[in-house]
Amino acid sequence: MRIHTRIAAVGAALAIAGGGMFGAAPASASSTTADSGTATDLSCDTWRYQRGASGRHGASITCYGSSFTGFVICHKPDGSLYGKLGNRARSGGTSTAWCDVNAEAVDAGAFPN
Protein backbone atom coordinates (compact mmCIF):
# COMPACT_ATOMS: atom_id res chain seq x y z
CA MET A 1 0.00 0.00 0.00
CA ARG A 2 1.30 3.44 -0.81
CA ILE A 3 2.16 5.59 2.18
CA HIS A 4 0.39 8.64 0.68
CA THR A 5 -2.84 6.66 0.39
CA ARG A 6 -2.52 5.48 3.97
CA ILE A 7 -1.81 8.98 5.27
CA ALA A 8 -4.77 10.39 3.35
CA ALA A 9 -7.14 7.72 4.68
CA VAL A 10 -6.01 8.20 8.29
CA GLY A 11 -6.04 11.98 7.93
CA ALA A 12 -9.61 11.93 6.64
CA ALA A 13 -10.77 9.73 9.51
CA LEU A 14 -9.05 11.95 12.06
CA ALA A 15 -10.39 15.15 10.53
CA ILE A 16 -13.94 13.83 10.77
CA ALA A 17 -13.67 12.68 14.37
CA GLY A 18 -10.99 14.96 15.77
CA GLY A 19 -12.66 18.26 15.10
CA GLY A 20 -9.39 20.12 14.76
CA MET A 21 -6.80 17.48 15.55
CA PHE A 22 -4.24 17.54 12.75
CA GLY A 23 -2.24 14.33 13.11
CA ALA A 24 -1.94 10.84 14.44
CA ALA A 25 0.76 9.15 16.44
CA PRO A 26 1.81 5.73 15.28
CA ALA A 27 1.82 2.98 17.85
CA SER A 28 4.67 3.20 20.37
CA ALA A 29 5.44 6.81 19.57
CA SER A 30 5.42 10.10 21.43
CA SER A 31 3.15 12.84 20.23
CA THR A 32 2.01 16.32 21.15
CA THR A 33 -1.58 16.99 22.08
CA ALA A 34 -3.33 19.68 20.04
CA ASP A 35 -4.91 21.50 22.97
CA SER A 36 -2.11 21.74 25.55
CA GLY A 37 1.08 21.46 23.51
CA THR A 38 2.63 19.11 26.08
CA ALA A 39 4.21 15.81 25.14
CA THR A 40 2.19 12.66 25.86
CA ASP A 41 3.79 9.24 25.65
CA LEU A 42 1.45 6.70 24.12
CA SER A 43 2.78 3.16 24.00
CA CYS A 44 0.66 0.63 22.15
CA ASP A 45 0.71 -3.12 21.70
CA THR A 46 0.60 -4.49 18.16
CA TRP A 47 -2.90 -4.22 16.70
CA ARG A 48 -4.94 -7.43 16.48
CA TYR A 49 -7.09 -8.44 13.54
CA GLN A 50 -10.73 -9.09 14.49
CA ARG A 51 -13.45 -11.03 12.69
CA GLY A 52 -17.06 -10.44 13.70
CA ALA A 53 -19.91 -12.92 13.60
CA SER A 54 -21.62 -10.96 10.81
CA GLY A 55 -18.59 -11.29 8.53
CA ARG A 56 -17.22 -7.85 9.36
CA HIS A 57 -13.50 -7.40 9.84
CA GLY A 58 -11.74 -4.94 12.12
CA ALA A 59 -8.85 -4.36 14.48
CA SER A 60 -8.33 -3.81 18.18
CA ILE A 61 -5.42 -2.14 19.96
CA THR A 62 -4.39 -1.68 23.59
CA CYS A 63 -2.36 1.39 24.60
CA TYR A 64 -0.80 2.81 27.77
CA GLY A 65 0.13 6.33 28.87
CA SER A 66 -3.02 8.34 28.14
CA SER A 67 -6.54 7.99 26.82
CA PHE A 68 -6.67 7.15 23.11
CA THR A 69 -8.85 6.26 20.15
CA GLY A 70 -8.03 3.38 17.83
CA PHE A 71 -8.53 3.43 14.08
CA VAL A 72 -8.54 0.89 11.26
CA ILE A 73 -7.75 1.35 7.57
CA CYS A 74 -10.16 -0.69 5.45
CA HIS A 75 -9.83 -1.94 1.86
CA LYS A 76 -12.95 -2.42 -0.24
CA PRO A 77 -13.18 -5.01 -3.06
CA ASP A 78 -13.25 -2.12 -5.59
CA GLY A 79 -9.76 -1.08 -4.43
CA SER A 80 -10.70 1.99 -2.41
CA LEU A 81 -9.42 2.66 1.11
CA TYR A 82 -11.14 4.38 4.01
CA GLY A 83 -10.66 4.78 7.74
CA LYS A 84 -12.95 4.01 10.67
CA LEU A 85 -12.54 5.11 14.27
CA GLY A 86 -12.98 2.89 17.29
CA ASN A 87 -14.11 3.71 20.78
CA ARG A 88 -12.20 6.08 23.06
CA ALA A 89 -10.41 4.13 25.80
CA ARG A 90 -8.41 4.95 28.92
CA SER A 91 -4.78 3.93 29.42
CA GLY A 92 -4.59 0.13 29.57
CA GLY A 93 -7.90 -0.26 27.77
CA THR A 94 -8.68 -1.58 24.31
CA SER A 95 -10.23 0.26 21.37
CA THR A 96 -11.84 -1.70 18.53
CA ALA A 97 -12.75 -0.33 15.10
CA TRP A 98 -14.78 -2.20 12.48
CA CYS A 99 -14.78 -2.07 8.68
CA ASP A 100 -17.96 -2.25 6.64
CA VAL A 101 -19.20 -5.65 5.43
CA ASN A 102 -17.03 -7.04 2.57
CA ALA A 103 -14.05 -4.82 3.45
CA GLU A 104 -10.73 -6.02 4.90
CA ALA A 105 -8.71 -4.43 7.69
CA VAL A 106 -5.27 -3.67 6.23
CA ASP A 107 -3.72 -1.46 8.92
CA ALA A 108 -4.57 0.00 12.31
CA GLY A 109 -3.22 2.21 15.04
CA ALA A 110 -4.16 4.74 17.70
CA PHE A 111 -3.84 8.40 18.54
CA PRO A 112 -3.92 10.07 21.98
CA ASN A 113 -6.84 12.23 23.03
Side-chain angles (χ1 to χ4, degrees):
M1 177 185 340
R2 293 172 131 158
I3 189 69
H4 296 291
T5 305
R6 179 178 171 199
I7 291 169
V10 172
L14 294 175
I16 291 169
M21 184 179 288
F22 294 104
S28 302
S30 295
S31 67
T32 303
T33 57
D35 51 325
S36 67
T38 59
T40 303
D41 289 328
L42 185 64
S43 174
C44 299
D45 296 340
T46 303
W47 64 275
R48 292 173 303 283
Y49 182 80
Q50 301 290 325
R51 184 179 303 250
S54 63
R56 291 175 52 181
H57 300 224
S60 62
I61 191 164
T62 302
C63 298
Y64 306 90
S66 70
S67 59
F68 66 97
T69 299
F71 65 87
V72 64
I73 304 300
C74 305
H75 180 263
K76 286 181 162 183
D78 67 5
S80 61
L81 294 172
Y82 63 94
K84 289 278 194 149
L85 295 173
N87 56 295
R88 183 173 187 259
R90 294 183 181 180
S91 178
T94 300
S95 179
T96 304
W98 294 97
C99 296
D100 295 334
V101 175
N102 297 324
E104 290 286 329
V106 295
D107 200 7
F111 60 91
N113 55 12

XYZ file of all heavy atoms in Angstrom:
794
model
N 0.849 -1.166 0.000
C 0.000 0.000 0.000
C 0.895 1.229 0.000
O 1.895 1.269 0.691
C -0.878 -0.003 1.250
C -1.732 1.213 1.342
S -2.718 1.404 2.842
C -2.824 -0.175 3.520
N 0.534 2.220 -0.761
C 1.305 3.444 -0.812
C 1.124 4.232 0.473
O 0.032 4.340 1.006
C 0.854 4.294 -1.971
C 1.160 3.689 -3.296
C 0.486 4.522 -4.296
N 1.356 4.887 -5.371
C 0.906 5.245 -6.551
N -0.384 5.290 -6.768
N 1.738 5.579 -7.497
N 2.212 4.835 0.941
C 2.160 5.594 2.183
C 1.269 6.816 2.045
O 0.569 7.185 2.977
C 3.586 5.962 2.661
C 3.530 6.555 4.073
C 4.245 6.933 1.711
C 3.166 5.565 5.114
N 1.238 7.458 0.865
C 0.391 8.636 0.680
C -1.082 8.273 0.801
O -1.867 9.029 1.365
C 0.660 9.292 -0.677
C 2.047 9.818 -0.804
N 2.485 10.899 -0.083
C 3.098 9.401 -1.535
C 3.745 11.134 -0.378
N 4.142 10.227 -1.267
N -1.463 7.115 0.283
C -2.842 6.662 0.385
C -3.201 6.405 1.838
O -4.268 6.771 2.299
C -3.045 5.389 -0.443
O -2.633 5.646 -1.783
C -4.491 4.950 -0.425
N -2.286 5.776 2.569
C -2.522 5.478 3.974
C -2.648 6.763 4.787
O -3.545 6.904 5.598
C -1.378 4.628 4.507
C -1.518 4.293 5.961
C -0.391 3.405 6.407
N -0.432 3.268 7.841
C 0.567 2.880 8.576
N 1.701 2.552 8.014
N 0.452 2.785 9.865
N -1.763 7.715 4.545
C -1.813 8.980 5.272
C -3.117 9.713 4.976
O -3.751 10.255 5.864
C -0.593 9.850 4.923
C 0.665 9.220 5.511
C -0.766 11.276 5.427
C 1.951 9.840 5.028
N -3.523 9.716 3.720
C -4.771 10.393 3.349
C -5.970 9.749 4.024
O -6.865 10.438 4.514
C -4.940 10.377 1.834
N -6.015 8.420 4.064
C -7.143 7.720 4.683
C -7.194 7.995 6.182
O -8.254 8.270 6.741
C -7.045 6.224 4.413
N -6.053 7.934 6.851
C -6.010 8.196 8.287
C -6.334 9.657 8.552
O -7.099 9.985 9.450
C -4.632 7.825 8.880
C -4.528 8.285 10.320
C -4.416 6.329 8.793
N -5.778 10.553 7.755
C -6.043 11.980 7.931
C -7.511 12.310 7.796
O -8.059 13.103 8.556
N -8.181 11.699 6.830
C -9.607 11.933 6.640
C -10.403 11.439 7.837
O -11.310 12.122 8.315
C -10.093 11.243 5.371
N -10.058 10.269 8.344
C -10.770 9.733 9.508
C -10.551 10.615 10.726
O -11.480 10.883 11.496
C -10.306 8.307 9.797
N -9.341 11.104 10.911
C -9.048 11.952 12.058
C -9.722 13.309 11.933
O -10.196 13.866 12.909
C -7.542 12.128 12.205
C -6.775 10.864 12.557
C -5.284 11.138 12.563
C -7.223 10.324 13.892
N -9.763 13.849 10.739
C -10.393 15.147 10.533
C -11.877 15.085 10.859
O -12.437 16.003 11.444
C -10.184 15.607 9.096
N -12.516 13.988 10.504
C -13.943 13.827 10.767
C -14.202 13.729 12.269
O -15.074 14.386 12.801
C -14.496 12.578 10.047
C -14.477 12.823 8.535
C -15.896 12.243 10.530
C -14.740 11.584 7.727
N -13.419 12.932 12.961
C -13.675 12.684 14.374
C -12.950 13.641 15.300
O -13.426 13.919 16.384
C -13.265 11.261 14.727
N -11.806 14.144 14.884
C -10.987 14.956 15.769
C -11.468 16.374 15.945
O -11.160 17.013 16.943
N -12.184 16.907 14.984
C -12.663 18.261 15.103
C -11.545 19.245 15.369
O -11.600 20.024 16.299
N -10.487 19.181 14.588
C -9.387 20.117 14.757
C -8.066 19.440 15.041
O -7.039 20.080 15.025
N -8.059 18.158 15.343
C -6.797 17.477 15.547
C -6.158 17.251 14.180
O -6.810 16.813 13.255
C -7.009 16.131 16.241
C -5.708 15.424 16.557
S -5.960 13.872 17.395
C -6.479 14.438 18.978
N -4.880 17.549 14.061
C -4.241 17.542 12.752
C -3.350 16.348 12.480
O -2.812 16.220 11.404
C -3.412 18.818 12.580
C -4.261 20.027 12.535
C -4.330 20.848 13.633
C -5.017 20.317 11.426
C -5.131 21.972 13.615
C -5.809 21.433 11.393
C -5.869 22.269 12.489
N -3.147 15.436 13.390
C -2.242 14.333 13.105
C -2.516 13.135 13.974
O -3.329 13.176 14.873
N -1.811 12.076 13.678
C -1.945 10.843 14.443
C -0.568 10.360 14.841
O 0.395 10.552 14.127
C -2.624 9.766 13.602
N -0.494 9.730 15.982
C 0.759 9.153 16.436
C 0.746 7.672 16.138
O -0.200 6.981 16.483
C 0.929 9.361 17.942
N 1.768 7.167 15.477
C 1.813 5.731 15.275
C 2.002 5.018 16.602
O 2.426 5.630 17.573
C 3.030 5.540 14.358
C 3.830 6.766 14.513
C 2.881 7.859 14.906
N 1.678 3.752 16.633
C 1.820 2.981 17.852
C 3.248 3.066 18.367
O 4.201 3.101 17.617
C 1.441 1.529 17.588
N 3.382 3.128 19.690
C 4.667 3.198 20.374
C 5.443 4.451 20.027
O 6.661 4.420 19.915
C 5.518 1.963 20.062
O 4.836 0.807 20.445
N 4.758 5.558 19.884
C 5.443 6.812 19.567
C 4.984 7.901 20.515
O 3.929 7.831 21.107
C 5.142 7.229 18.133
N 5.794 8.937 20.648
C 5.416 10.103 21.427
C 4.745 11.090 20.504
O 5.091 11.201 19.338
C 6.649 10.742 22.049
O 7.235 9.876 22.967
N 3.811 11.836 21.045
C 3.146 12.843 20.235
C 2.837 14.052 21.091
O 2.980 14.034 22.302
C 1.865 12.284 19.634
O 0.943 12.039 20.660
N 2.397 15.109 20.450
C 2.008 16.316 21.148
C 0.514 16.483 21.024
O -0.042 16.360 19.948
C 2.722 17.530 20.525
O 4.120 17.291 20.582
C 2.395 18.785 21.272
N -0.141 16.798 22.135
C -1.584 16.992 22.078
C -1.878 18.349 21.481
O -1.148 19.306 21.668
C -2.205 16.890 23.487
O -1.573 17.840 24.328
C -2.034 15.506 24.064
N -2.987 18.449 20.746
C -3.330 19.678 20.040
C -3.745 20.791 20.989
O -3.492 21.954 20.733
C -4.462 19.402 19.049
N -4.374 20.456 22.120
C -4.909 21.499 22.970
C -3.906 22.048 23.972
O -3.920 23.222 24.262
C -6.164 21.000 23.691
C -5.957 19.672 24.383
O -5.198 18.835 23.842
O -6.549 19.452 25.430
N -3.005 21.253 24.512
C -2.114 21.742 25.551
C -0.687 21.969 25.070
O 0.052 22.711 25.689
C -2.090 20.763 26.728
O -1.484 19.545 26.316
N -0.269 21.306 24.002
C 1.084 21.463 23.514
C 2.117 20.712 24.331
O 3.304 20.872 24.128
N 1.689 19.876 25.281
C 2.627 19.112 26.083
C 2.781 17.723 25.494
O 1.866 17.188 24.885
C 2.131 18.991 27.538
O 0.863 18.356 27.536
C 2.024 20.363 28.189
N 3.944 17.136 25.698
C 4.208 15.808 25.142
C 3.471 14.749 25.946
O 3.411 14.805 27.164
C 5.695 15.516 25.151
N 2.886 13.782 25.252
C 2.188 12.658 25.855
C 2.760 11.384 25.269
O 2.725 11.198 24.070
C 0.677 12.725 25.553
O 0.176 13.957 26.020
C -0.056 11.596 26.222
N 3.277 10.515 26.139
C 3.786 9.238 25.653
C 2.646 8.259 25.544
O 1.927 8.016 26.497
C 4.849 8.685 26.605
C 6.133 9.479 26.551
O 6.450 10.006 25.471
O 6.815 9.573 27.582
N 2.473 7.710 24.360
C 1.453 6.699 24.116
C 2.168 5.470 23.601
O 2.760 5.489 22.533
C 0.423 7.193 23.089
C -0.757 6.264 22.830
C -1.595 6.117 24.096
C -1.605 6.810 21.713
N 2.136 4.414 24.375
C 2.783 3.162 24.005
C 1.696 2.129 23.745
O 0.844 1.895 24.599
C 3.680 2.700 25.148
O 4.210 1.427 24.873
N 1.721 1.545 22.543
C 0.661 0.625 22.146
C 1.204 -0.757 21.815
O 2.296 -0.887 21.274
C -0.070 1.168 20.915
S -0.859 2.755 21.188
N 0.408 -1.762 22.129
C 0.710 -3.125 21.699
C 0.441 -3.209 20.198
O -0.208 -2.349 19.619
C -0.179 -4.133 22.431
C 0.065 -4.169 23.929
O 1.137 -3.716 24.372
O -0.830 -4.647 24.651
N 0.890 -4.259 19.575
C 0.603 -4.489 18.161
C -0.901 -4.681 17.989
O -1.549 -5.347 18.792
C 1.343 -5.753 17.680
O 2.736 -5.577 17.921
C 1.100 -6.010 16.213
N -1.465 -4.085 16.927
C -2.904 -4.223 16.703
C -3.244 -5.659 16.356
O -2.423 -6.395 15.830
C -3.404 -3.242 15.650
C -2.881 -3.395 14.261
C -1.711 -2.890 13.758
C -3.503 -4.073 13.173
N -1.578 -3.212 12.440
C -2.665 -3.946 12.038
C -4.692 -4.772 13.023
C -2.984 -4.486 10.799
C -5.000 -5.318 11.790
C -4.147 -5.162 10.701
N -4.465 -6.057 16.701
C -4.937 -7.428 16.479
C -6.113 -7.428 15.506
O -7.067 -6.683 15.672
C -5.351 -8.059 17.809
C -4.169 -8.297 18.731
C -4.591 -8.755 20.117
N -5.489 -7.870 20.836
C -5.128 -6.741 21.449
N -3.882 -6.345 21.413
N -6.003 -6.017 22.104
N -6.022 -8.278 14.526
C -7.091 -8.445 13.541
C -8.303 -9.066 14.221
O -8.167 -9.987 15.027
C -6.567 -9.353 12.416
C -7.529 -9.578 11.290
C -7.681 -8.625 10.295
C -8.269 -10.743 11.213
C -8.560 -8.828 9.247
C -9.149 -10.952 10.169
C -9.289 -9.997 9.197
O -10.162 -10.194 8.164
N -9.494 -8.571 13.911
C -10.733 -9.085 14.488
C -11.676 -9.518 13.374
O -11.721 -8.898 12.317
C -11.424 -8.000 15.324
C -10.604 -7.461 16.461
C -10.434 -8.479 17.571
O -11.335 -9.275 17.847
N -9.275 -8.474 18.200
N -12.425 -10.580 13.627
C -13.449 -11.034 12.694
C -14.755 -11.168 13.472
O -14.831 -11.911 14.439
C -13.075 -12.370 12.069
C -14.073 -12.842 11.011
C -13.656 -14.157 10.412
N -12.331 -14.061 9.847
C -12.069 -14.097 8.545
N -13.040 -14.233 7.689
N -10.841 -14.015 8.103
N -15.775 -10.427 13.028
C -17.064 -10.444 13.703
C -17.956 -11.558 13.200
O -17.740 -12.123 12.128
N -18.985 -11.852 13.956
C -19.913 -12.922 13.597
C -20.671 -12.609 12.308
O -21.042 -13.505 11.571
C -20.897 -13.151 14.744
N -20.868 -11.342 12.006
C -21.623 -10.959 10.807
C -20.743 -10.879 9.562
O -21.187 -10.409 8.523
C -22.306 -9.613 11.041
O -21.327 -8.611 11.241
N -19.499 -11.325 9.664
C -18.592 -11.287 8.530
C -17.797 -10.002 8.421
O -17.019 -9.828 7.493
N -17.983 -9.097 9.365
C -17.218 -7.851 9.359
C -15.816 -8.096 9.886
O -15.586 -8.969 10.705
C -17.921 -6.796 10.208
C -19.211 -6.348 9.571
C -19.979 -5.410 10.434
N -19.163 -4.293 10.877
C -19.603 -3.330 11.665
N -20.826 -3.364 12.107
N -18.813 -2.354 12.026
N -14.880 -7.300 9.406
C -13.496 -7.396 9.838
C -13.115 -6.078 10.501
O -13.659 -5.028 10.172
C -12.580 -7.646 8.644
C -12.911 -8.910 7.929
N -11.960 -9.792 7.519
C -14.096 -9.463 7.567
C -12.535 -10.818 6.924
N -13.835 -10.630 6.933
N -12.175 -6.135 11.418
C -11.740 -4.940 12.118
C -10.422 -5.166 12.813
O -9.701 -6.125 12.519
N -10.108 -4.276 13.736
C -8.853 -4.365 14.476
C -9.049 -3.796 15.874
O -9.854 -2.882 16.075
C -7.766 -3.587 13.753
N -8.308 -4.347 16.823
C -8.326 -3.809 18.181
C -6.892 -3.510 18.589
O -5.942 -4.121 18.085
C -8.972 -4.800 19.155
O -8.214 -5.997 19.212
N -6.746 -2.541 19.494
C -5.416 -2.144 19.958
C -5.514 -1.722 21.419
O -6.524 -1.155 21.848
C -4.831 -1.019 19.073
C -3.360 -0.802 19.375
C -5.642 0.259 19.180
C -2.632 0.001 18.314
N -4.488 -2.052 22.188
C -4.390 -1.678 23.592
C -3.206 -0.742 23.751
O -2.116 -1.039 23.240
C -4.206 -2.924 24.477
O -5.318 -3.807 24.255
C -4.118 -2.563 25.945
N -3.412 0.393 24.428
C -2.363 1.391 24.602
C -2.257 1.810 26.061
O -3.203 1.664 26.837
C -2.646 2.625 23.755
S -2.689 2.328 21.983
N -1.093 2.377 26.416
C -0.799 2.814 27.766
C -0.204 4.222 27.730
O 0.495 4.571 26.791
C 0.208 1.855 28.419
C -0.241 0.421 28.361
C 0.104 -0.383 27.285
C -1.036 -0.112 29.363
C -0.326 -1.704 27.209
C -1.474 -1.428 29.301
C -1.107 -2.211 28.218
O -1.535 -3.500 28.149
N -0.476 5.008 28.748
C 0.130 6.327 28.875
C -0.876 7.457 28.884
O -0.652 8.479 29.523
N -1.966 7.324 28.156
C -3.022 8.336 28.144
C -4.267 7.721 27.505
O -4.219 6.605 26.998
C -2.587 9.574 27.355
O -2.514 9.295 25.981
N -5.351 8.476 27.529
C -6.538 7.995 26.821
C -6.259 8.068 25.319
O -5.412 8.838 24.872
C -7.769 8.817 27.197
O -7.573 10.168 26.896
N -6.960 7.266 24.540
C -6.667 7.148 23.112
C -7.888 6.666 22.357
O -8.851 6.180 22.940
C -5.505 6.178 22.876
C -5.834 4.755 23.245
C -6.240 3.852 22.276
C -5.766 4.324 24.563
C -6.569 2.544 22.609
C -6.090 3.022 24.910
C -6.489 2.124 23.928
N -7.832 6.803 21.042
C -8.847 6.264 20.147
C -8.148 5.448 19.077
O -7.189 5.916 18.462
C -9.662 7.400 19.487
O -10.308 8.148 20.514
C -10.707 6.841 18.533
N -8.598 4.239 18.860
C -8.031 3.379 17.826
C -8.673 3.669 16.478
O -9.755 4.253 16.400
N -7.983 3.304 15.421
C -8.528 3.430 14.077
C -8.120 2.229 13.251
O -7.158 1.536 13.579
C -8.072 4.730 13.386
C -6.587 4.795 13.127
C -6.040 4.258 11.977
C -5.742 5.411 14.031
C -4.677 4.320 11.734
C -4.377 5.477 13.801
C -3.842 4.936 12.647
N -8.860 1.973 12.198
C -8.541 0.894 11.262
C -8.621 1.455 9.849
O -9.466 2.302 9.558
C -9.483 -0.325 11.449
C -10.921 0.012 11.142
C -9.023 -1.511 10.612
N -7.720 1.023 8.990
C -7.754 1.354 7.572
C -8.352 0.149 6.865
O -7.869 -0.975 7.021
C -6.356 1.663 7.007
C -5.689 2.786 7.805
C -6.437 1.997 5.527
C -6.433 4.084 7.798
N -9.407 0.384 6.095
C -10.157 -0.689 5.448
C -9.986 -0.638 3.932
O -9.892 0.445 3.354
C -11.629 -0.565 5.799
S -11.951 -0.522 7.578
N -9.977 -1.808 3.315
C -9.827 -1.943 1.860
C -11.078 -2.599 1.303
O -11.430 -3.714 1.683
C -8.594 -2.799 1.555
C -8.345 -2.994 0.108
N -8.752 -4.108 -0.566
C -7.728 -2.198 -0.789
C -8.385 -4.006 -1.830
N -7.765 -2.851 -1.987
N -11.756 -1.881 0.398
C -12.954 -2.417 -0.241
C -12.569 -3.268 -1.451
O -11.502 -3.087 -2.026
C -13.845 -1.275 -0.727
C -14.571 -0.545 0.351
C -15.423 0.518 -0.298
C -16.493 1.019 0.607
N -17.344 2.001 -0.083
N -13.451 -4.183 -1.878
C -13.175 -5.006 -3.059
C -12.926 -4.178 -4.331
O -12.214 -4.615 -5.224
C -14.434 -5.863 -3.211
C -15.009 -5.927 -1.843
C -14.691 -4.604 -1.215
N -13.473 -2.964 -4.406
C -13.252 -2.120 -5.591
C -11.897 -1.419 -5.568
O -11.566 -0.662 -6.477
C -14.379 -1.102 -5.760
C -14.419 -0.048 -4.662
O -13.509 -0.025 -3.792
O -15.357 0.764 -4.658
N -11.106 -1.645 -4.526
C -9.763 -1.079 -4.430
C -9.655 0.194 -3.617
O -8.559 0.676 -3.362
N -10.755 0.753 -3.172
C -10.696 1.993 -2.406
C -10.364 1.722 -0.942
O -10.619 0.641 -0.412
C -12.003 2.762 -2.528
O -13.067 1.995 -2.008
N -9.775 2.723 -0.301
C -9.417 2.659 1.112
C -10.200 3.709 1.882
O -10.506 4.775 1.354
C -7.925 2.944 1.306
C -6.953 1.932 0.739
C -5.540 2.473 0.840
C -7.061 0.629 1.491
N -10.499 3.409 3.133
C -11.137 4.382 4.007
C -10.781 4.042 5.440
O -10.294 2.958 5.743
C -12.658 4.408 3.804
C -13.344 3.116 4.163
C -13.888 2.924 5.430
C -13.456 2.090 3.238
C -14.514 1.737 5.756
C -14.077 0.902 3.561
C -14.607 0.739 4.823
O -15.217 -0.438 5.146
N -10.969 4.981 6.332
C -10.661 4.781 7.738
C -11.909 4.792 8.595
O -12.901 5.445 8.273
N -11.865 4.040 9.683
C -12.949 4.010 10.668
C -12.324 4.183 12.044
O -11.244 3.659 12.324
C -13.693 2.668 10.650
C -14.542 2.434 9.436
C -15.877 3.134 9.587
C -16.832 2.615 8.539
N -18.198 2.624 8.978
N -13.008 4.896 12.910
C -12.536 5.107 14.274
C -13.188 4.122 15.224
O -14.350 3.739 15.046
C -12.860 6.530 14.720
C -12.144 7.626 13.954
C -12.683 8.983 14.369
C -10.654 7.545 14.171
N -12.450 3.754 16.251
C -12.976 2.890 17.295
C -13.445 3.712 18.478
O -13.566 4.934 18.397
N -13.684 3.047 19.564
C -14.108 3.709 20.783
C -12.930 4.402 21.463
O -11.779 4.032 21.272
C -14.741 2.689 21.739
C -13.792 1.539 22.049
O -13.443 0.765 21.151
N -13.356 1.427 23.292
N -13.217 5.420 22.248
C -12.199 6.077 23.061
C -11.982 5.200 24.292
O -12.942 4.698 24.889
C -12.677 7.463 23.477
C -11.640 8.232 24.253
C -12.122 9.669 24.475
N -11.075 10.458 25.062
C -11.004 10.761 26.354
N -11.955 10.344 27.180
N -10.015 11.483 26.816
N -10.721 4.995 24.661
C -10.407 4.133 25.796
C -9.389 4.815 26.703
O -8.627 5.674 26.263
C -9.856 2.796 25.309
N -9.389 4.443 27.953
C -8.406 4.946 28.916
C -7.126 4.128 28.805
O -7.114 3.052 28.226
C -8.951 4.842 30.331
C -10.126 5.745 30.572
C -10.574 5.653 31.998
N -11.729 6.511 32.198
C -12.347 6.655 33.335
N -11.935 5.982 34.403
N -13.377 7.449 33.443
N -6.058 4.641 29.400
C -4.780 3.934 29.415
C -4.972 2.514 29.933
O -5.626 2.295 30.947
C -3.796 4.683 30.326
O -2.570 3.997 30.383
N -4.449 1.536 29.205
C -4.589 0.132 29.569
C -5.819 -0.528 28.978
O -5.978 -1.737 29.062
N -6.691 0.262 28.369
C -7.905 -0.263 27.765
C -7.685 -0.660 26.317
O -6.601 -0.520 25.770
N -8.745 -1.139 25.701
C -8.683 -1.581 24.310
C -9.726 -0.838 23.491
O -10.859 -0.674 23.921
C -8.932 -3.098 24.215
O -7.922 -3.768 24.965
C -8.910 -3.588 22.777
N -9.322 -0.379 22.315
C -10.228 0.262 21.367
C -10.354 -0.656 20.159
O -9.362 -1.184 19.660
C -9.666 1.621 20.943
O -10.513 2.241 19.999
N -11.583 -0.839 19.684
C -11.841 -1.696 18.534
C -12.588 -0.907 17.469
O -13.558 -0.215 17.773
C -12.679 -2.925 18.937
O -11.996 -3.621 19.984
C -12.889 -3.861 17.761
N -12.107 -0.990 16.237
C -12.747 -0.325 15.100
C -13.113 -1.385 14.070
O -12.358 -2.336 13.848
C -11.803 0.704 14.488
N -14.270 -1.217 13.424
C -14.781 -2.204 12.481
C -14.922 -1.626 11.086
O -15.380 -0.499 10.909
C -16.140 -2.731 12.935
C -16.055 -3.499 14.205
C -16.306 -3.045 15.462
C -15.669 -4.867 14.344
N -16.104 -4.050 16.379
C -15.712 -5.180 15.714
C -15.297 -5.857 13.443
C -15.397 -6.445 16.202
C -14.983 -7.116 13.926
C -15.035 -7.398 15.297
N -14.565 -2.425 10.093
C -14.777 -2.073 8.682
C -16.213 -2.419 8.303
O -16.892 -3.172 9.001
C -13.832 -2.867 7.779
S -12.091 -2.512 8.040
N -16.655 -1.889 7.173
C -17.963 -2.252 6.643
C -17.931 -3.706 6.164
O -16.865 -4.296 5.967
C -18.329 -1.351 5.461
C -18.491 0.106 5.880
O -18.814 0.362 7.057
O -18.277 0.978 5.023
N -19.102 -4.286 5.946
C -19.201 -5.648 5.425
C -18.490 -5.711 4.071
O -18.566 -4.775 3.276
C -20.682 -6.071 5.292
C -20.812 -7.436 4.640
C -21.349 -6.069 6.657
N -17.789 -6.783 3.806
C -17.032 -7.042 2.570
C -15.762 -6.216 2.434
O -15.174 -6.180 1.362
C -17.899 -6.854 1.317
C -19.028 -7.841 1.278
O -18.880 -8.989 1.699
N -20.173 -7.413 0.795
N -15.315 -5.549 3.476
C -14.048 -4.816 3.446
C -13.069 -5.503 4.398
O -13.472 -6.127 5.376
C -14.254 -3.370 3.855
N -11.784 -5.404 4.094
C -10.732 -6.025 4.896
C -9.964 -4.970 5.674
O -9.693 -3.888 5.162
C -9.743 -6.764 3.987
C -10.298 -8.007 3.347
C -10.432 -9.151 4.326
O -9.638 -9.251 5.267
O -11.354 -9.952 4.129
N -9.579 -5.298 6.895
C -8.707 -4.432 7.693
C -7.274 -4.630 7.202
O -6.778 -5.754 7.192
C -8.814 -4.801 9.164
N -6.631 -3.559 6.755
C -5.271 -3.667 6.230
C -4.230 -3.001 7.126
O -3.042 -3.299 7.008
C -5.165 -3.112 4.796
C -5.987 -3.959 3.837
C -5.582 -1.660 4.722
N -4.645 -2.112 8.001
C -3.722 -1.462 8.923
C -4.534 -0.861 10.062
O -5.742 -0.661 9.924
C -2.929 -0.368 8.205
C -1.662 0.019 8.932
O -1.309 -0.642 9.943
O -1.008 0.989 8.527
N -3.878 -0.580 11.171
C -4.567 -0.001 12.310
C -3.560 0.714 13.192
O -2.349 0.538 13.046
C -5.287 -1.090 13.092
N -4.059 1.489 14.104
C -3.221 2.215 15.044
C -4.074 2.965 16.040
O -5.257 2.671 16.203
N -3.456 3.961 16.690
C -4.161 4.743 17.698
C -3.565 6.144 17.764
O -2.427 6.356 17.359
C -4.043 4.062 19.051
N -4.353 7.061 18.274
C -3.844 8.401 18.543
C -4.349 8.849 19.907
O -5.431 8.457 20.337
C -4.251 9.389 17.437
C -5.728 9.547 17.237
C -6.441 10.515 17.917
C -6.410 8.723 16.355
C -7.804 10.658 17.736
C -7.778 8.872 16.149
C -8.471 9.843 16.857
N -3.528 9.638 20.634
C -3.918 10.074 21.975
C -5.016 11.124 21.903
O -5.104 11.877 20.944
C -2.633 10.657 22.547
C -1.854 11.085 21.365
C -2.209 10.130 20.257
N -5.846 11.161 22.926
C -6.842 12.231 23.034
C -7.274 12.440 24.457
O -6.916 11.769 25.334
C -8.054 11.986 22.134
C -8.721 10.664 22.354
O -8.467 9.961 23.317
N -9.570 10.295 21.450
